[in-house]
């Protein structure tokens, strides 16, 4: 059976030493984020996830969810009791406003717990995770009445939330949705239609489920400009806050999926369900994007999380499994064979995993800090800069993070050899659960096009220029340090590759937009490689300083420096190869006609 231990030491390093969260104490919400408090949240959250959620991960995968004849759904054994503990401990309230029952802490601390939850039990984590996204949308676009009616119990996790976008005939192209919203005399709307792939759409763990659904009102434009957002509770909420009649929304079926079996991914049928407009009519897509952007960052964390869980088990197996001898001679002559940990190819996979997970953890948590600063920084200029930077990084965190997270999971399965293909060892589940993260909340191809087709050119390219400026400043500072200079120079070359790729798009994509589409995925990976390189340079700087101070945990900081060097040596060179692929353009990719892809008779 696989195991999981929350990476609390590494997380404390990032929160306290690299991000230095305590230094933001003058900003709203950060005054509570003292080192003592953040350490307690990290340690206790890690224990909860390791002791309560992780033991349910494999059994939940094997049992799955059950839909009953009346449309109700039962989650796997132990999930409801674990969710009760999660709710009672207040883990879901960390980053939400105190006005509605949250703890008002920085979002970055909520992201810490999201990683631990997703690593220990991704399917479980999707129930509160989708709720967080729904809360974000209602906070931004809901009326005061809607906020007061729904948010306190959603934030407390007495109620959960969902997002309803996809329909059987349309996913990314939301302008094609057919779900209708007919206005009623009492100011509500009657919602009719079918939504598919609705995570946590029906379950037995909360008293009520608050659905946020996209639909079209009569006469609305038949495009994305005609989409409105509605709140549709499973049970009508009375004026006094009590629950009334069951609404006209029912689970028609549960999808049979490759992974995340412990989460109820539902087909939801709306038959005149009573709903209320959120925000302005025909402005629903903008409101839903608030929820989707929050979800995309959460999915990026899932890529990290599955990689981390798989990596931990890969290391354990590599240290225990004995096969063959080290190439340089027996490592343990008294034993019949050496642990496979000594073999360079196994080390390659383990080091790739270690370099990715630790670098990605900092990128995710720095991204969360940017979310906080976009709302709470001292000046409007700082808030705008943080917002632009996290907007640029969101598709990278989601797209690159989940592509590499899946790759790490499959490599850790490879470490197990034949046992990795056997279900009882648990590695297959990490691979299967990681796979969905590349697909939902906008496939990674969509993320790449969002980055290259929208974010690079936004506001005259201000965000990407700010990214390059930030990287140049970090590199210049590191080059002044003899010990860090070699790594800084390697990163500088990778940044130059990204800059060249950016320039190539500017010179070629206007003439042929397919050049942009053909290279977008490569560019997203180049930016992911560079972003993690920047994170590793920052961690190396802190680790070197700690060693110079004579820090007690010498081995920890030495490992950071060694892993930073490995990342620069083994990851950064890929940026050049990807740039050359990007510059090959779209001509050969688009040359063949449809008939050339047909299977020969």
């Amino acid at each position: 059976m696989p195991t999981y231990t929350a990476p609390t030491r590494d997380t404390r390093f990032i929160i306290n030493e690299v991000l230095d969260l305590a230094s933001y104490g003058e900003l709203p919400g950060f005054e509570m984020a003292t080192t003592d408090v953040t350490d307690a949240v990290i340690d206790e959250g890690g224990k909860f996830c390791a002791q309560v959620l992780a033991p349910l991960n494999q059994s939940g995968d094997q049992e799955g969810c059950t839909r009953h004849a009346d449309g109700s759904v039962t989650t796997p054994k132990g999930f409801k009791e674990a969710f009760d503990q999660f709710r009672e401990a207040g883990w879901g309230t960390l980053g939400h406003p105190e006005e509605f029952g949250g703890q008002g802490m920085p979002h970055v601390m909520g992201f810490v717990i999201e990683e631990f939850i997703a690593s220990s039990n991704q399917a479980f984590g999707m129930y509160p995770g989708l709720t967080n996204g729904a809360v974000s949308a209602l906070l931004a676009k809901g009326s005061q009445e809607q906020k007061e009616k729904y948010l306190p119990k959603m934030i407390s996790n007495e109620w959960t939330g969902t997002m309803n976008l996809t329909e059987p005939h349309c996913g990314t192209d939301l302008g094609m949705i057919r779900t209708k919203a007919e206005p009623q005399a009492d100011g509500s709307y009657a919602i009719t239609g079918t939504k598919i792939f609705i995570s946590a759409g029906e379950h037995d763990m909360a008293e009520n489920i608050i659905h946020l659904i996209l639909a079209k009102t009569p006469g609305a434009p038949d495009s994305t400009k005609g989409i409105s957002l509605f709140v549709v509770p499973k049970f009508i909420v009375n004026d006094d806050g009590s629950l009334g009649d069951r609404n006209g929304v029912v689970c028609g079926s549960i999808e049979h999926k490759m992974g995340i079996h412990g989460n109820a991914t539902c087909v939801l049928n709306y038959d005149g369900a009573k709903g209320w407009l959120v925000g302005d009519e025909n402005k629903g897509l903008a409101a839903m994007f608030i929820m989707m952007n929050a979800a995309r960052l959460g999915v990026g964390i899932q890529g990290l999380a599955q990689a981390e869980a798989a990596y931990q088990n890969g290391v354990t197996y590599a240290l225990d499994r004995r096969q063959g001898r080290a190439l340089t001679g027996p490592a343990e002559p008294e034993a019949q064979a050496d642990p496979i940990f000594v073999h360079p190819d196994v080390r390659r996979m383990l080091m790739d995993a270690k370099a990715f997970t630790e670098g990605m953890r900092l990128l995710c948590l720095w991204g969360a800090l940017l979310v906080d600063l976009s709302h709470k920084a001292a000046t409007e200029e700082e808030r705008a800069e943080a917002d632009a930077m996290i907007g640029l990084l969101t598709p990278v965190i989601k797209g690159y993070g989940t592509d590499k997270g899946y790759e790490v999971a499959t490599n850790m399965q490879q470490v197990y050899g034949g046992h990795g293909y056997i279900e009882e060892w648990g590695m297959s589940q990490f691979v299967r659960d990681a796979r969905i993260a590349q697909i939902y909340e906008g496939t990674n191809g969509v993320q790449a096009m969002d980055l290259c087709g929208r974010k690079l050119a936004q506001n005259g390219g201000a965000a990407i220029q700010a990214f390059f400026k930030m990287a140049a400043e970090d590199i210049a500072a590191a080059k002044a340090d003899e010990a860090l200079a070699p790594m800084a120079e390697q990163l500088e070359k990778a940044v130059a590759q990204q800059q060249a790729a950016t320039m190539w798009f500017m010179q070629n994509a206007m003439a042929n937009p397919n050049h942009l589409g053909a290279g977008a995925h490569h560019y997203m990976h180049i930016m992911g490689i560079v972003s993690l390189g920047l994170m590793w340079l920052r961690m190396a700087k802190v680790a070197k300083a700690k060693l110079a101070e004579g820090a007690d945990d010498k081995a920890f900081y030495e490992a950071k420096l060694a892993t930073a060097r490995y990342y620069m040596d083994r990851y950064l060179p890929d940026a050049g190869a990807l740039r050359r692929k990007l510059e090959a353009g779209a001509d050969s990719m688009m040359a063949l006609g449809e008939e050339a892809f047909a299977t020969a008779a």
Side-chain angles (χ1 to χ4, degrees):
M1 179 178 177
T3 61
Y4 171 71
T5 301
T8 53
R9 175 65 182 94
D10 196 54
T11 304
R12 289 196 303 272
F13 167 71
I14 291 172
I15 292 294
N16 298 331
E17 300 172 46
V18 183
L19 297 180
D20 190 14
L21 210 61
S23 67
Y24 295 91
E26 76 283 358
L27 300 180
F30 284 84
E31 68 274 5
M32 294 182 288
T34 64
T35 301
D36 287 346
V37 171
T38 57
D39 282 356
V41 169
I42 292 166
D43 291 343
E44 292 305 313
K47 289 177 185 176
F48 174 81
C49 292
Q51 297 172 5
V52 178
L53 301 185
L56 299 174
N57 193 38
Q58 191 171 35
S59 61
D61 176 66
Q62 293 167 350
E63 180 182 347
C65 296
T66 303
R67 178 189 176 275
H68 305 287
D70 62 356
S72 63
V73 170
T74 303
T75 50
K77 183 179 179 181
F79 270 46
K80 187 178 188 306
E81 292 77 11
F83 195 75
D84 289 343
Q85 293 182 57
F86 174 87
R87 179 175 57 247
E88 290 163 6
W91 289 117
T93 68
L94 284 175
H96 293 306
E98 293 177 280
E99 177 186 0
F100 300 109
Q103 297 185 45
M105 292 192 73
H107 282 86
V108 66
M109 295 309 300
F111 274 43
V112 165
I113 301 303
E114 279 196 44
E115 183 206 329
F116 296 172
I117 293 171
S119 287
S120 59
N121 196 322
Q122 180 172 317
F124 177 94
M126 292 169 67
Y127 294 97
L130 269 296
T131 305
N132 289 336
V135 167
S136 297
L138 286 172
L139 279 169
K141 296 295 183 179
S143 67
Q144 188 62 29
E145 178 186 359
Q146 288 170 343
K147 292 176 185 177
E148 292 174 356
K149 177 174 283 190
Y150 300 113
L151 289 181
K153 290 198 174 182
M154 293 176 72
I155 287 172
S156 70
N157 286 122
E158 293 172 78
W159 301 346
T160 60
T162 71
M163 54 192 295
N164 287 229
L165 290 78
T166 307
E167 298 183 4
H169 63 284
C170 74
T172 302
D173 191 355
L174 291 170
M176 297 170 61
I177 66 171
R178 296 172 184 161
T179 300
K180 297 299 182 184
E182 298 284 346
Q184 305 297 296
D186 63 358
S188 67
Y189 290 77
I191 312 294
T192 300
T194 296
K195 297 289 184 177
I196 64 171
F197 305 158
I198 309 306
S199 301
E202 175 62 35
H203 57 83
D204 59 346
M205 301 199 300
E207 297 174 348
N208 204 2
I209 303 174
I210 310 303
H211 303 291
L212 290 185
I213 178 171
L214 294 181
K216 290 182 177 178
T217 55
D222 192 21
S223 68
T224 55
K225 295 181 179 179
I227 297 174
S228 299
L229 180 65
F230 299 87
V231 57
V232 182
K234 174 181 173 181
F235 289 98
I236 301 296
V237 181
N238 297 322
D239 291 340
D240 64 358
S242 63
L243 298 184
D245 295 336
R246 175 68 191 259
N247 210 348
V249 52
V250 67
C251 173
S253 64
I254 297 176
E255 305 287 4
H256 297 280
K257 311 185 296 292
M258 176 179 174
I260 53 170
H261 295 148
N263 193 268
T265 307
C266 300
V267 174
L268 290 183
N269 297 318
Y270 291 82
D271 185 10
K274 187 177 285 289
W276 289 267
L277 183 67
V278 177
D280 296 326
E281 188 173 352
N282 298 333
K283 301 293 184 183
L285 194 59
M288 187 61 84
F289 264 115
I290 294 169
M291 188 171 177
M292 288 179 67
N293 284 333
R296 284 171 175 173
L297 290 171
V299 173
I301 291 173
Q302 290 177 355
L304 161 64
Q306 292 307 301
E308 172 67 30
Y311 165 67
Q312 289 187 16
N313 286 276
V315 170
T316 299
Y317 187 82
L319 291 169
D320 181 67
R321 177 71 167 176
R322 293 181 179 274
Q323 293 284 294
R325 290 296 190 184
L327 296 177
T328 53
E332 298 182 18
E334 71 284 357
Q336 190 173 5
D338 290 332
I340 62 172
F341 188 80
V342 304
H343 301 308
D345 190 60
V346 173
R347 280 293 189 101
R348 170 185 63 83
M349 292 185 284
L350 295 176
M351 283 300 297
D352 279 356
K354 181 177 177 63
F356 168 74
T357 53
E358 293 180 19
M360 188 66 189
R361 179 168 298 114
L362 176 53
L363 183 62
C364 287
L365 295 181
W366 177 53
L369 179 59
L370 289 172
V371 172
D372 284 310
L373 295 177
S374 72
H375 296 290
K376 298 178 179 180
T379 68
E380 178 58 36
E381 181 182 6
E382 290 174 308
R383 292 192 289 273
E385 289 174 354
D387 188 60
M389 186 62 70
I390 190 55
L392 179 71
L393 289 170
T394 293
V396 179
I397 290 172
K398 195 281 187 187
Y400 180 75
T402 60
D403 278 350
K404 296 300 289 186
Y406 178 73
E407 180 182 306
V408 167
T410 60
N411 279 342
M412 295 304 97
Q413 186 182 38
Q414 185 77 11
V415 168
Y416 274 68
H419 290 303
Y421 204 67
I422 304 301
E423 285 291 341
E424 68 187 76
W425 287 85
M427 301 308 289
S428 169
Q429 184 185 352
F430 297 135
V431 173
R432 290 185 286 103
D433 286 357
R435 187 65 183 88
I436 186 57
Q438 296 171 284
I439 297 172
Y440 59 13
E441 306 307 338
T443 65
N444 285 356
V446 171
Q447 302 305 314
M449 285 303 295
D450 177 42
L451 172 65
C452 299
R454 294 180 64 246
K455 301 297 176 56
L456 289 184
Q458 210 165 46
N459 298 320
I464 190 63
Q465 292 306 319
F467 179 82
F468 288 144
K469 181 176 182 289
M470 175 184 62
E473 291 171 350
D474 279 32
I475 289 167
K479 286 173 73 175
D481 185 320
E482 184 178 353
L484 298 177
M487 288 188 282
E489 290 166 1
Q490 288 172 292
L491 180 58
E492 188 173 41
K493 291 177 182 178
V495 172
Q497 300 287 358
Q498 185 184 352
Q499 290 171 320
T502 308
M503 184 60 69
W504 192 89
F505 274 158
M506 291 175 62
Q507 294 169 343
N508 294 275
M510 290 295 290
N512 183 355
N514 278 340
H515 286 325
L516 184 80
H521 182 266
H522 302 315
Y523 188 93
M524 179 178 72
H525 273 243
I526 293 171
M527 189 165 180
I529 289 166
V530 169
S531 297
L532 261 67
L534 185 60
M535 299 300 103
W536 271 112
L537 191 62
R538 291 177 178 179
M539 288 191 284
K541 179 181 177 181
V542 174
K544 178 181 175 295
K546 290 292 181 180
L547 287 169
E549 293 169 6
D552 292 337
D553 200 352
K554 183 180 177 183
F556 176 86
Y557 296 111
E558 288 177 339
K560 282 292 176 191
L561 287 173
T563 309
R565 286 190 288 270
Y566 179 88
Y567 184 89
M568 304 304 182
D569 288 345
R570 306 287 295 204
Y571 271 77
L572 291 184
D574 289 344
L578 289 168
R579 178 184 64 80
R580 289 189 287 276
K581 285 186 176 184
L582 181 152
E583 291 178 353
D587 292 346
S588 61
M589 185 179 294
M590 307 301 288
L592 296 180
E594 294 179 14
E595 68 282 355
F597 291 89
T599 303

